[in-house]
Amino acid sequence: MGTRVEGRRDVVVVGGGPAGMAAAARAAELGLDVLMVDEGERLGGILPQCIHPGFGVHYLREELTGPEFAQRLASRVEDAGVDVLLEAHVPEVRWISHAEKGVRVLSPGFSGEVRAGAVIYAAGARERHRFEIGILGDRVAGVYTAGEAQTMMDVYGILPGRRVLVVGSGDVGMIVARRFALEGAEVVGVVEIMPYPGGLTRNVVQCLEDFDIPLLLSHRVVSVRGRGRVEKAVLMRVDEGLRDIPGTETEVECDTVVVSAGLVPRVEVLRELGALIDPATGGPVVNDRLETTVPGVFAAGNALVINDLVDHAAEQGEQAAEGAAEFLRRGGIPATDWVRLRPGEGVKLTVPQLLSGERDVWIYLRVNRPVRNARLSLRGAGREVRLPVVRPAEMVRVKLMAGEVRRAKVGGREVVAEVYRG
Amino acid sequence: MGVRVVVVGAGVVGASVARVLSRYEGLEVHLIDTNPDVGWGVSKANTGIVHGGYDDDPDRFPLRAELCALGNEIWHRWVEELDIPHAWSGALVVALEGDQRGELESLLERGRRNGVPELRIVEREEALALEPNLTPDVEAALWAPTVGQIHPVRATVAIVENAVDNGVRVHLETEIRGVKVKGGEVRGLETSRGFLEADIVVNAAGLRADELADMAGVEFPRIRPRRGEYWIFDRSAGPKPRRVLFPTPTLTSKGVVVTTEVSGHLMIGPNAEDLPPDAKDDVGNTAKGLEEVWERARELWPRLPSRRLVIRTFAGLRPEPEGGDFVIGTTEVWGFVNAAGTRSPGLTAAPAIALRVRDALVELGIELREKSRWKATRRDIESTIDLSWRERASRAREDPFRGRVVCRCNLVTEREVLEAIERMRAVGVRTPSLDSVKFRTGATSGTCQGSFCRVRLVEILAREFGVPLWGVTLKGRGSEVGVGDVKVLLRGRA
């Protein structure tokens, strides 16, 4: 592979998943000299393990499987002339100056520091695991996160178990449940702590009902028991406050427990670099160029905010690339009196957190409970949007016009996103 | 041939005995364990503290009192010789407002009787200066600078590797079915792998030492499992204490400890729950036990991090002998030597217990002559995470496997994994287990708890051991990671 690594690059993209690939391709298409590094043996991030369809409907205007979507972006990356370094871990990004960062890379092919004018951080997320959601009992084989189970099956060709209990009814949990069913495993249930399913209704029908997989709402897995492998799981009912209801323990025989309990942005490198982290998103605070609070360092994809659509992750990659290009062209993203975008009533998180009013901007937000017939108010910007239904599982994406943002500059210097019924 | 010694139990006590005995001419030393790797019983899940020696009452528990203080001294040497990850952090035994101060005075007095150096009582202000996040309710504390911490399994591995280097033979996954005694003398062991002749059998069987003694017809106090549970936080979670923090002890236990363990994680535990005698495998975590630990820990360390930053909970069993003291030395059966009843401070005392076993052999009339060539040292696997950036990069340029990061959270490279596998083989590991790699390298024990790297470790273990991917285990036979290739069930149906 003729990849050139050494020397100073305009842009180094950390992460070769959908956000990173879109960022690298776009940056190169804008005429920049780009190096993309990724930890995997192949590009795509988590896409290669997602062999179900449903990818790219918005971004590529056709429905693809994960590997197909990855392949499209990988071809674009190649055509754009991006240099790619695989199996490359970035333990640290070092501040050298406003105009230069040092990206430290460990890989079998190259280990050293690559200097970059701008860095786009798109290292994705990690999955929450059993210990973080309080599953006690025995520490035995057969407990996997959803992504890990997918990787075992669809990248390595291992069947993790015969009788499977899935914890968490987000889209990923339901898709993994179906994936097991398709291989002939018995899925004994999908357990959801909330009183409603975490994912799309479409997936409740197509992944669970069509395969006769029971959905247990308002339940949680208290513990797993077994000697070497999981032998059973202990479930408990919870009340509206998500508190255990004593006396409702039931045991379910299974040899595998798959935990699909959400994702956490991987931001250790950004935090070490001094980037401000938003406790609501778990990702960095960014302005409307997706620049973190460290000048010249941009973020996109699940490292920025947990997305439910790959299309959004890729879109953020492109935005970050455009931001990086502007940074390089102008010697920085001009400081301005930023308008703060923050979550209010009914809203869990908003991105980007800082708006300039110089351009139209896509804002992403997530509600904290399902609302039918919802009214989204962007207070300060004077915008209201009616939405038939909003749910925590589905990111809401709204374009805010530059003029609307500027309106907030005269007011309280902030835009507050609020969601009401009716 | 000389005297054949079979040590039963490859925990830290058995390993220490094997290492000490490996020093002498004319002894053929074997180390046996039912587990697939060394250090997987009681040694696996405990607090990892090398205690000072002030806790144990020399009148009631003379062996504990003597061997703890001596063991602490020996560990100071062993961690250097054997390159065992450690931290001589010292400890504070914290007395809260009320009547606990008197207890500190008696600990101090006991420590002096036991020969523990450098103990002193620090007043509230000094205690808070030493540990600013300590509870403001502290009234005084006993400062014990000789207290330290080790990683107990890595310590056991280190000792066994060195013992093997000096000629000890290890037999893992070997179950003891009987002890052959004839004419009042030990003759050998019936095992799942056949009969093993023995002149001397050392009982270092931990939780099952009473069962082994029964097989030999030797009287032995009953051993009850006492469970202790722990919480462990992400490396980023703090505040973390610089010293080991103990509450003032009670009769049953030294109490719930707040500490920054050797790899840099805040850890709290254990409680002390007596389980029924037949629960010698129950290392499950319970809500009740963990809540108790949390509450106790908060009494010392009010600023515990959020539970969202917990990365693991675990539990271990301590072998609690009736009578409370260690059981060490010769028995009514010639050649059957005990090194058991090793409740806390068993880990601390292990090297000293090993010396007692050596003395027991002398007592039995076995002549011990030191080998002219005995290797005292052993090197640990070089951990990438402990290296500077410059060193990391230059190692990776020399060795591509050092550049391939497998465990992202703890920066474990494929080289470390391969070296762990080589060393597993050297101590006789036959079954490829993720835990064997985890305990040697730290892989899978970080923030993500292995969700990224477990399958890659499976791939490497499968390749190196020549087994299918799904045949790799978490912790021995019966804990395989998969049930077959991904089409195995569909094929079965066709």
Side-chain angles (χ1 to χ4, degrees):
Chain A
M1 306 226 295
T3 291
R4 179 175 69 86
V5 181
E6 275 93 340
R8 189 182 188 284
R9 316 304 293 250
D10 291 332
V11 178
V12 173
V13 178
V14 180
M21 287 196 290
R26 181 80 184 123
E29 286 158 7
L30 290 169
L32 301 174
D33 174 26
V34 183
L35 171 70
M36 177 167 67
V37 297
D38 185 74
E39 285 167 330
E41 291 173 69
R42 60 189 75 76
L43 286 177
I46 61 167
L47 288 169
Q49 77 205 34
C50 302
I51 64 167
H52 52 282
F55 296 87
V57 179
H58 305 274
Y59 185 69
L60 298 174
R61 306 210 175 280
E62 60 181 311
E63 188 174 352
L64 303 171
T65 64
E68 286 168 335
F69 187 97
Q71 188 50 51
R72 294 293 176 88
L73 273 178
S75 305
R76 194 176 143 202
V77 162
E78 197 182 344
D79 293 345
V82 173
D83 288 318
V84 177
L85 185 66
L86 292 174
E87 293 188 282
H89 179 79
V90 173
E92 189 185 352
V93 175
R94 199 164 65 91
W95 170 275
I96 296 164
S97 71
H98 183 82
E100 192 158 74
K101 308 293 174 289
V103 180
R104 292 183 159 173
V105 181
L106 281 180
S107 79
F110 167 86
S111 291
E113 186 175 284
V114 183
R115 299 292 174 99
V119 173
I120 299 174
Y121 198 76
R126 68 170 182 87
E127 299 178 274
R128 295 178 73 215
H129 53 73
R130 67 171 281 195
F131 295 105
E132 291 174 289
I133 60 168
I135 300 182
L136 304 179
D138 296 312
R139 299 163 302 284
V140 285
V143 184
Y144 303 108
T145 58
E148 185 181 12
Q150 286 179 323
T151 306
M152 288 173 79
M153 284 196 268
D154 295 326
V155 179
Y156 290 84
I158 306 167
L159 189 68
R162 292 186 178 86
R163 273 178 71 87
V164 185
L165 183 71
V166 177
V167 184
S169 68
D171 292 319
V172 177
M174 294 194 282
I175 286 164
V176 170
R178 176 179 63 185
R179 185 73 197 90
F180 272 99
L182 286 170
E183 294 301 346
E186 188 184 347
V187 183
V188 294
V190 173
V191 179
E192 172 59 55
I193 192 166
M194 303 303 286
Y196 48 83
L200 302 171
T201 308
R202 186 184 77 198
N203 282 327
V204 175
V205 176
Q206 294 178 0
C207 297
L208 304 187
E209 290 171 9
D210 288 357
F211 290 85
D212 292 325
I213 297 170
L215 172 62
L216 292 122
L217 299 174
S218 295
H219 276 76
R220 75 176 191 97
V221 175
V222 181
S223 64
V224 298
R225 301 304 315 231
R227 283 194 61 131
R229 278 281 302 209
V230 175
E231 287 162 25
K232 64 187 180 193
V234 182
L235 309 188
M236 213 164 176
R237 213 175 239 294
V238 299
D239 63 20
E240 303 83 56
L242 308 184
R243 290 171 300 252
D244 294 343
I245 303 174
T248 59
E249 291 94 340
T250 46
E251 289 184 353
V252 178
E253 268 183 51
C254 53
D255 64 8
T256 305
V257 172
V258 174
V259 176
S260 177
L263 304 174
V264 184
R266 288 178 66 200
V267 292
E268 295 79 12
V269 167
L270 292 177
R271 191 185 279 128
E272 288 291 307
L273 184 58
L276 202 60
I277 304 301
D278 180 348
T281 59
V285 169
V286 292
N287 60 31
D288 56 16
R289 286 313 217 185
L290 302 193
E291 184 190 34
T292 67
T293 54
V294 178
V297 178
F298 297 77
N302 281 354
L304 169 62
V305 61
I306 301 306
N307 292 279
D308 33 272
L309 291 180
V310 68
D311 307 70
H312 292 170
E315 176 180 276
Q316 291 152 12
E318 305 230 356
Q319 290 169 17
E322 284 156 21
E326 184 182 343
F327 180 91
L328 295 170
R329 194 170 62 243
R330 299 172 69 174
I333 301 293
T336 172
D337 44 349
W338 300 104
V339 169
R340 203 167 143 230
L341 171 66
R342 69 173 178 86
E345 177 69 30
V347 177
K348 193 170 152 196
L349 58 88
T350 49
V351 169
Q353 291 85 347
L354 301 169
L355 311 176
S356 65
E358 285 169 22
R359 60 186 67 81
D360 302 346
V361 56
W362 284 111
I363 64 168
Y364 305 89
L365 63 93
R366 213 177 267 285
V367 297
N368 53 27
R369 55 178 154 58
V371 178
R372 270 183 198 291
N373 227 337
R375 183 162 53 86
L376 164 66
S377 157
L378 294 164
R379 194 156 52 79
R383 166 79 84 86
E384 283 218 345
V385 185
R386 293 217 159 258
L387 299 160
V389 64
V390 289
R391 290 140 32 80
E394 286 170 68
M395 186 96 90
V396 178
R397 174 171 164 274
V398 177
K399 189 167 226 174
L400 205 55
M401 298 301 150
E404 292 172 312
V405 177
R406 280 200 298 273
R407 204 180 292 181
K409 290 205 171 187
V410 226
R413 321 207 63 75
E414 64 173 17
V415 174
V416 184
E418 295 165 336
V419 167
Y420 301 99
R421 196 184 298 271
Chain B
M1 189 55 219
V3 179
R4 184 184 265 196
V5 183
V6 180
V7 182
V8 180
V12 70
V13 173
S16 298
V17 170
R19 175 179 195 235
V20 163
L21 297 185
S22 75
R23 186 160 199 154
Y24 300 100
E25 234 37 287
L27 297 185
E28 184 189 310
V29 183
H30 296 254
L31 185 59
I32 291 194
D33 202 292
T34 51
N35 287 308
D37 200 348
V38 302
W40 279 17
V42 176
S43 306
K44 183 163 89 167
N46 56 67
T47 325
I49 291 173
V50 179
H51 290 286
Y54 47 79
D55 286 286
D56 302 292
D57 183 341
D59 299 324
R60 297 184 58 203
F61 310 114
L63 283 172
R64 273 159 55 179
E66 183 191 340
L67 300 180
C68 181
L70 179 59
N72 179 295
E73 216 180 290
I74 303 174
W75 274 118
H76 276 74
R77 204 167 62 238
W78 281 26
V79 294
E80 300 302 332
E81 286 176 352
L82 302 175
D83 202 11
I84 294 167
H86 65 278
W88 295 115
S89 41
L92 287 171
V93 184
V94 178
L96 303 182
E97 282 168 359
D99 52 2
Q100 296 182 333
R101 192 187 170 104
E103 187 59 32
L104 291 190
E105 302 284 353
S106 39
L107 285 179
L108 180 67
E109 175 51 31
R110 213 180 287 160
R112 289 193 176 135
R113 275 185 72 192
N114 292 347
V116 181
E118 299 173 68
L119 291 176
R120 71 185 171 89
I121 289 179
V122 298
E123 296 305 324
R124 179 173 192 275
E125 251 168 60
E126 189 179 351
L128 286 170
L130 290 171
E131 291 295 343
N133 293 296
L134 188 60
T135 173
D137 295 339
V138 54
E139 188 182 311
L142 179 70
W143 167 232
T146 58
V147 172
Q149 302 183 81
I150 53 178
H151 187 305
V153 184
R154 278 180 105 153
T156 308
V157 166
I159 297 167
V160 174
E161 282 179 12
N162 176 246
V164 166
D165 244 9
N166 287 302
V168 171
R169 296 177 214 178
V170 185
H171 312 265
L172 295 170
E173 296 184 65
T174 304
E175 216 176 288
I176 310 291
R177 296 189 172 150
V179 181
K180 190 176 173 198
V181 177
K182 213 171 168 191
E185 293 180 13
V186 156
R187 293 295 168 87
L189 294 167
E190 304 283 357
T191 82
S192 53
R193 294 183 192 276
F195 185 71
L196 188 63
E197 271 182 50
D199 303 302
I200 304 285
V201 167
V202 178
N203 177 10
L207 283 160
R208 294 192 157 80
D210 51 353
E211 295 162 34
L212 186 72
D214 289 348
M215 291 182 198
V218 166
E219 262 201 54
F220 197 95
R222 293 302 90 186
I223 287 181
R224 288 182 67 112
R226 179 174 283 174
R227 180 162 58 190
E229 303 194 43
Y230 298 82
W231 302 80
I232 188 153
F233 293 87
D234 187 47
R235 194 182 276 121
S236 68
K240 305 177 203 177
R242 291 176 53 200
R243 297 159 187 81
V244 182
L245 305 177
F246 292 94
T248 47
T250 64
L251 269 179
T252 46
S253 122
K254 296 183 181 68
V256 170
V257 170
V258 177
T259 188
T260 306
E261 51 81 84
V262 265
S263 42
H265 299 259
L266 178 65
M267 180 171 86
I268 58 175
N271 61 332
E273 179 194 359
D274 285 316
L275 299 184
D278 60 348
K280 288 178 176 177
D281 295 308
D282 191 356
V283 289
N285 274 116
T286 67
K288 187 164 167 280
L290 287 170
E291 289 307 327
E292 183 189 346
V293 168
W294 192 276
E295 284 316 308
R296 294 274 165 276
R298 256 181 19 156
E299 288 168 13
L300 287 189
W301 201 249
R303 292 184 58 202
L304 281 183
S306 151
R307 288 200 183 177
R308 288 172 48 199
L309 294 171
V310 169
I311 58 166
R312 194 173 179 84
T313 52
F314 69 97
L317 298 173
R318 295 96 103 181
E320 188 62 34
E322 234 170 72
D325 206 355
F326 298 157
V327 184
I328 297 166
T330 56
T331 63
E332 60 268 36
V333 171
W334 196 96
F336 191 87
V337 178
N338 283 319
T342 41
R343 66 169 327 267
S344 180
L347 173 66
T348 310
I353 293 171
L355 296 184
R356 276 298 179 96
V357 169
R358 179 198 59 190
D359 296 346
L361 263 56
V362 174
E363 208 181 296
L364 292 172
I366 295 164
E367 200 186 316
L368 297 180
R369 234 168 352 99
E370 286 195 7
K371 290 176 182 168
S372 52
R373 281 182 18 196
W374 182 75
K375 195 175 168 210
T377 59
R378 165 266 182 197
R379 303 310 313 162
D380 198 10
I381 299 173
E382 187 180 66
S383 293
T384 303
I385 199 165
D386 295 334
L387 301 176
S388 70
W389 164 250
R390 200 177 287 274
E391 290 168 325
R392 288 176 190 171
S394 79
R395 295 282 196 294
R397 283 192 289 267
E398 288 158 17
D399 173 8
F401 292 100
R402 273 266 171 208
R404 190 173 285 131
V405 174
V406 178
C407 165
R408 304 162 179 186
C409 303
N410 286 342
L411 211 61
V412 179
T413 66
E414 185 164 357
R415 173 56 66 210
E416 287 144 273
V417 176
L418 290 173
E419 214 176 300
I421 291 170
E422 199 178 303
R423 288 165 184 240
M424 281 154 63
R425 287 227 170 84
V427 301
V429 172
R430 309 153 188 256
T431 305
S433 297
L434 291 160
D435 271 2
S436 289
V437 176
K438 173 176 89 171
F439 287 126
R440 285 172 177 79
T441 65
T444 76
S445 66
T447 309
C448 86
Q449 287 291 304
S451 57
F452 282 117
C453 68
R454 198 163 12 236
V455 71
R456 296 198 51 203
L457 294 170
V458 165
E459 186 184 30
I460 298 168
L461 280 164
R463 183 184 76 209
E464 298 298 318
F465 277 83
V467 300
L469 294 166
W470 44 90
V472 170
T473 74
L474 176 65
K475 48 182 180 179
R477 280 173 223 283
S479 68
E480 284 73 15
V481 297
V483 294
D485 71 275
V486 73
K487 296 294 173 197
V488 66
L489 296 178
L490 295 179
R491 220 175 21 244
R493 224 168 256 187

